[in-house]
């Protein structure tokens, strides 16, 4: 069993209180790690270490050197690729090929992309007329915000954490990261990488624990934390925003969703089915951008339901390292109970169960894990809880529609606004509908096709602010104007 410690000022430290919690494998509920739970003292030490780093070498380092170091971080992650794959797989139980092809390479890329961004981005300047005719020159500079609190979820832990740490460090900040209690391992491992490549001590700190009355709350309430970036549930975002109000700290929030996907009858049918088999079932449905509401134009509705059913029934459950398994468990038994409660609710609400609806029969010790069947319903009203609330499982409700106006109204009838995926071969319609759906990210004839330079974030209750490319710099730096009278 692994011992996972907090990483503060370049050193792994157990909490002075000796409080620890168990990390269990989602595969079989076995305890796989004992994690040190940071108390107020450890969070305070991490924040102090981050400030000390900003006062030291890191605070005066040239952009060029910082960029070199971030490239070295990315290269060291790649050198230790198998360790990261193994750690993330152990925490989440998700298939090895997803770790190897998406989550861990993206984690490394997050350091390179934002190193390139900070090196290449221009700042604005204005020549200003003055009554004496000599004029003035205004120019803007970017300064790091200071110490950034980074609060992370468990669903793609390394990719989502580095998506924040990469730009934060590229901009010259120091960070205190609070990974999810369900996925502590890769954040801890990254400390070794930081030390190996010579990132100054205190620039990257990790404190483990839970949310309320634990490390999460201690970080977000700490007056020494200058800004907070958070990915997780909208409800948690509300609590964090209240904490951030004290001291007027800035926030960047990537929150929940109840994303709609739209299939028009003229779509490439097979490509659409393939797209939805990913957007509904990938990562066992635990993707914030995933689709839980599918709207299909009536002429192809029945055929589409049957085709997606076939995809759901073809998933291969199994341990992540087993070659042909492509469907892992949910993150925990607790989350499994939450998803199953929606599976029951769907039936109570009068859904037609197309497939799934329960827990698969798993052999041996896997029977103890958080496994779940991919599930499809039809026949619910738009007001059903299962159609309104984020479930965060491998499930969707499919409803037919008859007109563009109708489907846009249905897609928008939610307090969330994270993403949508639209399938049609009529490009004029694709652009038209894309502009009308109130979300931060729209994919047309694709899903989860990411370019890290593009603005990423949610509308309505799905987020505040945008990250990605230069948009990350808006949050991780403060723009200051300097006016020179000529
Ligand atoms: P969560 O909100 O339960 O927890 C996220 C993190 O916040 C954890 O580290 C947790 O310990 C911490 N936390 C909880 N309460 C806190 C508090 N009061 N103060 C400070 N920290 C606190 O979310 P989760 O279950 O880990 O992740 C799933 C959610 O994340 C889903 O809603 C999903 O849609 C969302 N998500 C959104 C995006 C996006 O980009 N918009 C990406 C991934 C996940």
């Amino acid at each position: 069993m692994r011992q996972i410690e907090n990483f503060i000022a370049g050193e792994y430290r157990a909490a002075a209180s000796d409080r620890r919690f168990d990390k269990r494998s989602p595969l079989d509920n076995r305890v796989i790690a004992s994690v040190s739970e940071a108390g107020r003292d450890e969070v305070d030490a991490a924040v102090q270490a981050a400030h000390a780093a900003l006062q030291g070498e890191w605070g005066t380092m040239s952009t060029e050197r910082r960029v070199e170091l971030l490239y070295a971080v990315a290269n060291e992650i790649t050198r230790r690729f198998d360790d990261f794959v193994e750690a993330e797989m152990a925490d989440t139980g998700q298939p090895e090929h997803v770790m190897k092809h998406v989550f861990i390479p993206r984690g490394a890329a997050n350091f390179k992309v934002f190193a390139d961004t900070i090196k290449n981005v221009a700042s604005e300047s204005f020549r200003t007329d003055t009554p004496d005719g000599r004029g003035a020159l205004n120019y803007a500079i970017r300064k790091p915000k200071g110490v950034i609190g980074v609060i992370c979820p468990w669903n793609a832990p390394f990719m989502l954490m580095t998506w924040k740490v990469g730009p934060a460090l590229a901009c010259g900040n120091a960070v205190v990261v609070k990974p999810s209690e369900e996925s502590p391992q890769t954040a801890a491992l990254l400390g070794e990488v930081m030390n190996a490549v010579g990132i100054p001590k205190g620039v990257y700190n990790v404190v483990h624990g839970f949310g309320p009355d634990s490390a999460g709350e201690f970080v977000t309430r700490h007056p020494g934390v200058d800004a907070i970036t958070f990915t997780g549930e909208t409800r948690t975002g509300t609590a964090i925003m209240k904490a951030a109000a004290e001291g007027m700290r800035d926030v960047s929030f990537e929150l929940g969703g109840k994303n709609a996907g739209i299939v028009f009858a003229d779509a490439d049918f097979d490509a659409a089915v393939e797209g939805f088999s990913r957007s509904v079932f990938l990562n066992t449905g635990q993707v914030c951008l995933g689709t839980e509401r599918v709207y299909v134009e009536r002429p192809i509705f029945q055929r589409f339901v049957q085709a997606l059913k076939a995809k759901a029934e073809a998933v291969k459950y199994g341990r992540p390292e087993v070659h042909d398994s492509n469907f892992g468990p949910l993150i925990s038994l607790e989350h499994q109970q939450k998803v199953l409660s929606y599976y029951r609710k769907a039936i109570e609400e009068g859904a037609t169960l197309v497939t799934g609806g329960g827990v698969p029969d798993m052999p041996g010790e896997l029977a103890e894990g958080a496994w779940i069947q991919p599930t499809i319903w039809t026949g619910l009203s738009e007001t059903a809880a299962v159609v309104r609330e984020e479930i965060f499982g491998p499930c969707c409700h499919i409803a037919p529609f008859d007109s563009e106006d109708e489907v846009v109204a249905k897609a928008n009838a939610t307090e969330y606004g994270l993403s949508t995926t639209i399938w049609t071969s009529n490009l004029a319609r694709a652009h038209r509908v894309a502009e009308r759906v109130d979300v931060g990210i729209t994919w047309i004839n694709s899903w989860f096709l990411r370019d890290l330079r593009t603005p990423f974030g949610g509308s309505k209750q799905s987020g505040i602010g945008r990250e990605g490319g230069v948009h990350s710099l808006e949050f991780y730096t403060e723009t200051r104007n300097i006016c020179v009278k000529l």
Side-chain angles (χ1 to χ4, degrees), residues 208-250:
H208 298 287
F210 303 85
D213 203 24
S214 183
E217 186 176 332
F218 302 155
V219 169
T220 55
R221 289 201 177 278
H222 199 294
V225 169
D226 299 301
I228 300 161
T229 178
F230 166 71
T231 300
E233 286 187 25
T234 299
R235 204 181 35 199
T236 311
T238 307
I240 292 179
M241 203 163 176
K242 286 182 183 158
E246 204 60 56
M248 290 295 155
R249 277 98 42 81
D250 202 0

Side-chain angles (χ1 to χ4, degrees), residues 151-155 160 178-181 209-212 216-217 220 230-234 236 239-240 254-257 288 390 392 418 456 462:
I151 312 287
C152 307
W154 45 258
N155 59 319
L160 295 173
K178 210 297 278 175
S180 168
E181 53 275 30
F210 303 85
E217 186 176 332
T220 55
F230 166 71
T231 300
E233 286 187 25
T234 299
T236 311
I240 292 179
E254 295 175 355
L255 307 176
C288 55
E390 182 183 49
F392 221 51
L418 188 52
F456 180 96
S462 288

Side-chain angles (χ1 to χ4, degrees), residues 128-319:
T128 308
D129 291 336
T130 56
D132 65 8
R134 286 188 297 182
L137 179 65
N138 281 284
Y139 66 95
I141 58 167
R142 290 183 187 278
K143 287 285 187 183
K145 279 226 172 99
V147 175
I148 311 286
V150 182
I151 312 287
C152 307
W154 45 258
N155 59 319
F158 189 59
M159 181 176 91
L160 295 173
M161 185 260 294
T162 52
W163 172 243
K164 297 173 178 303
V165 172
L169 299 195
C171 293
N173 300 283
V175 295
V176 177
V177 176
K178 210 297 278 175
S180 168
E181 53 275 30
E182 298 290 355
S183 54
Q185 296 204 51
T186 42
L189 192 53
L190 189 60
E192 291 180 21
V193 168
M194 297 289 174
N195 281 349
V197 305
I199 295 281
K201 294 183 189 319
V203 169
Y204 174 78
N205 305 278
V206 182
V207 289
H208 298 287
F210 303 85
D213 203 24
S214 183
E217 186 176 332
F218 302 155
V219 169
T220 55
R221 289 201 177 278
H222 199 294
V225 169
D226 299 301
I228 300 161
T229 178
F230 166 71
T231 300
E233 286 187 25
T234 299
R235 204 181 35 199
T236 311
T238 307
I240 292 179
M241 203 163 176
K242 286 182 183 158
E246 204 60 56
M248 290 295 155
R249 277 98 42 81
D250 202 0
V251 294
S252 173
F253 284 170
E254 295 175 355
L255 307 176
K258 186 71 183 178
N259 307 310
I262 302 172
V263 195
F264 287 95
D266 62 10
D268 176 335
F269 185 84
D270 292 342
V273 171
E274 183 59 34
F276 280 90
S277 77
R278 292 180 60 242
S279 77
V280 179
F281 305 131
L282 184 79
N283 215 34
T284 316
Q286 304 163 118
V287 180
C288 55
L289 306 160
T291 314
E292 290 190 357
R293 298 183 292 144
V294 184
Y295 297 100
V296 182
E297 206 168 4
R298 199 173 300 274
I300 60 163
F301 175 72
Q302 287 302 346
R303 190 171 149 228
F304 186 92
V305 170
Q306 291 310 311
L308 198 61
K309 171 179 191 276
K311 291 282 187 192
E313 291 173 357
V315 301
K316 292 208 168 63
Y317 306 97
R319 289 191 171 275

Side-chain angles (χ1 to χ4, degrees), residues 23-30 91 154 182 286 329-341 344 359 365-372:
K23 162 63 195 165
R24 290 174 180 273
S25 167
L27 300 168
D28 53 14
N29 205 35
R30 205 167 33 92
D91 276 355
W154 45 258
E182 298 290 355
Q286 304 163 118
L330 293 167
I331 188 70
S332 62
L333 292 179
E334 189 189 345
H335 190 51
Q336 184 201 40
Q337 285 312 310
K338 176 187 163 191
V339 175
L340 283 172
S341 75
R344 284 191 296 273
V359 173
E365 70 272 15
L366 295 185
E368 307 297 317
W371 301 89
I372 192 99

